[in-house]
Amino acid sequence: MPKNKTHKGTSKRIRVTGSGKLLREKAGKRHLLEKKSSKLTRRLSGTVEVAKNDVPRLKKLLGI
C-alpha cells in the first residue's frame, strides 16, 4: 500500500496538541472588522478545539 499524503491546506489550518487534540482558529476575523463590534472581534479571537464529529475526517486528511 502506498503512503497517504497529508492534505496541506488542512495542515496549515489545524494544529495537533501533544495529547492528540485538534485545534483551529475561529472564522470571521480576517476582514470587514470595522463594522463588527469589539465584543464580537474579542469573542472570535483565540483557538478552539475541533468539533467531535469533524475529528475523524480531519485526522484522515492529516494522516494521523
Side-chain angles (χ1 to χ4, degrees):
M1 286 291 292
K3 294 179 181 177
N4 288 329
K5 288 192 175 179
T6 302
H7 191 283
K8 289 305 192 178
T10 306
S11 66
K12 291 168 190 172
R13 289 169 170 84
I14 305 292
R15 208 174 74 229
V16 184
T17 63
S19 60
K21 291 178 187 174
L22 302 179
L23 299 178
R24 65 167 178 86
E25 294 281 337
K26 290 181 191 170
K29 205 180 176 214
R30 288 289 181 215
H31 66 151
L32 303 176
L33 296 174
E34 201 168 52
K35 63 175 78 170
K36 295 171 187 169
S37 67
S38 300
K39 186 177 183 179
L40 176 66
T41 54
R42 279 196 305 275
R43 187 174 65 76
L44 291 173
S45 68
T47 56
V48 288
E49 204 174 326
V50 171
K52 184 174 61 117
N53 293 334
D54 295 329
V55 170
R57 183 165 45 93
L58 290 173
K59 281 194 171 181
K60 187 180 178 189
L61 286 170
L62 292 170
I64 300 172

